[in-house]
Amino acid sequence: MADHALGAPETWLDEHGAALYKYALLHTRDPHKAEEAVQETLLAALQARDRYAGGASARTWLIGILKHKLVDMFRHASREIPLDEAEDGDGGRDVLLDEAFDGAGHWRTMPADWGDPEDTLARSQFLAILQRCLDALPERLARLFMLREVMEEDSETICQELAITPTNLWTMLYRARLGLRRCLDRNRVGHVIPE
Amino acid sequence: MLTCKDASHLISERQDRPLGRRERLGLWLHLLICVYCRAFERQVAMLSRAMRELGRRGGADGIDLGPEARERIRKAIAERNGHD
């Protein structure tokens, strides 16, 4: 009966719906899947509300449930998404790496200095470009990178949940970082763009 | 001596696992002399901070559930809640 600080279930959607949806959309990149994740999260919360300890805020608790749903969805989806060609090891040439490094393993171009934009506008611009670069990354790489850097899951957990080897995971995260930094460099982040 | 390709791999992996003693030493020596990889190192750190911030903001501003989705979810909750 007692809902602690959770509030009544009828209020969850109004209180937390937008936040949950934004979070889900960031990870699924698909409005329908994000809506589905929000609905499943709230239904799961309804069933689990007796177990809500009241330690975390209601929002944190709900986001925690949402994370599980998203990992579940990702695990199902990754069975359908083919591995990208570079993951098969020694097979084909790796375009991402070949573009970054010459035959001797030296950088072809100097990674740009992005600084650490302090003011809010520069920060927002950086994040907006980062978001676009994430969207341009192969889906599997982007999702893995989100799991690692946004959800802050540790390597071990991700490997267990997705049934991949640590070496495979670290290589994919490396590729995600290389791809993102190349995209950000190309978008001239860190350079002042005159209006 | 590590190549930049090797060093950049280690810079990335350091975000995801602790490096071994030999890896740390090799990377440290490389970074001493390589301005390119130091630049990459700063990019990797900035990427990490920015991703977390993106997560905290929950993506771009002004994103919300559509009215139809809201209604659908509201009904699903009410239905399930009634059954308890």
Side-chain angles (χ1 to χ4, degrees), chain A residues 131-149:
Chain A
Q131 178 91 67
R132 283 211 303 279
C133 289
L134 275 167
D135 290 345
L137 214 58
E139 182 160 358
R140 190 178 163 82
L141 286 188
R143 295 240 195 121
L144 269 179
F145 195 62
M146 305 279 293
L147 277 182
R148 179 71 193 95
E149 297 272 20

Side-chain angles (χ1 to χ4, degrees), chain A residues 11 13 17 24 30 38 54 72 79 88 93 102 136 150-151 169 192:
Chain A
T11 66
L13 188 59
D30 176 330
V38 173
D72 266 354
R79 294 201 193 109
D88 60 10
R93 277 167 19 105
D102 65 19
V150 178
M151 294 202 194
L169 172 68
V192 180

Side-chain angles (χ1 to χ4, degrees), chain A residues 9-10 13-14 17-18 21-23 25-26 35 38-39 42-43 46-47 49 101 104-107 109-112 114-117 123-124 126-127 130-131 134 145-146 148-150 152 155 170-171 173-174 177-178 180-181 184-185, chain B residues 3-6 8-13 15-17 30 34-37 39-40 42-44 46-66 69-74 76-78 80-81 84:
Chain A
E10 309 84 68
L13 188 59
D14 291 330
Y21 179 68
K22 276 207 297 189
Y23 195 93
L25 190 62
L26 187 66
E35 287 166 11
V38 173
Q39 174 162 332
L42 293 178
L43 291 178
L46 198 58
Q47 282 193 316
R49 77 187 130 142
F101 302 101
H106 295 305
W107 290 98
T109 53
M110 173 92 167
W114 300 336
D116 189 353
R123 198 89 185 167
S124 298
F126 186 93
L127 293 180
L130 176 59
Q131 178 91 67
L134 275 167
F145 195 62
M146 305 279 293
R148 179 71 193 95
E149 297 272 20
V150 178
E152 300 182 50
S155 295
W170 295 325
T171 301
L173 291 171
Y174 173 52
R177 293 187 178 105
L178 275 186
L180 286 174
R181 65 144 292 271
L184 283 155
D185 274 5
Chain B
T3 64
C4 293
K5 198 170 170 178
D6 301 329
S8 64
H9 210 134
L10 288 178
I11 289 167
S12 172
E13 289 203 18
Q15 302 288 113
D16 310 311
R17 69 170 173 98
H30 183 93
C34 182
V35 62
Y36 285 68
C37 284
F40 178 68
R42 285 193 296 275
Q43 288 190 336
V44 165
M46 179 64 191
L47 268 183
S48 191
R49 283 196 298 278
M51 289 295 287
R52 270 158 216 199
E53 188 165 347
L54 207 58
R56 275 200 302 278
R57 292 188 185 196
D61 291 335
I63 290 172
D64 199 359
L65 284 161
R70 267 183 188 276
E71 198 44 44
R72 204 166 54 240
I73 295 172
R74 197 181 304 283
I77 294 173
R80 188 72 63 88
N81 202 17
D84 280 355

